[in-house]
Amino acid sequence: MKRIAEVLGFLALVQGLIGLSHALFGWPRGWGLVQRLAVLDGYEVYASGGLLVLACALFAAADRLRPC
């Protein structure tokens, strides 16, 4: 379970950073999940920030879990 939380945290961190870099610097659309979801149009910065917060929470939870 610890490894799953770490992997999900890493994926959330990467997607959040990609979303923020696209929203703040105008980098090409590329392979970010936040930009591909039409429901998040206009809320990309908030969704990316939420992914970064989720990544921190998953890393903290993974730290508290015992390894399998």
Side-chain angles (χ1 to χ4, degrees):
M1 193 69 176
K2 180 177 181 167
R3 178 65 76 192
I4 293 171
E6 289 173 344
V7 169
L8 290 176
F10 176 74
L11 291 174
L13 178 72
V14 169
Q15 289 297 316
L17 290 175
I18 289 171
L20 281 180
S21 67
H22 172 72
L24 297 178
F25 303 119
W27 288 355
R29 193 160 214 169
W31 43 276
L33 178 67
V34 174
Q35 289 81 24
R36 293 184 185 263
L37 297 176
V39 72
L40 295 176
D41 283 345
Y43 298 101
E44 290 93 355
V45 174
Y46 301 114
S48 298
L51 281 171
L52 292 175
V53 170
L54 176 66
C56 292
L58 284 169
F59 287 139
D63 192 40
R64 308 251 322 149
L65 292 172
R66 60 186 168 109
C68 293

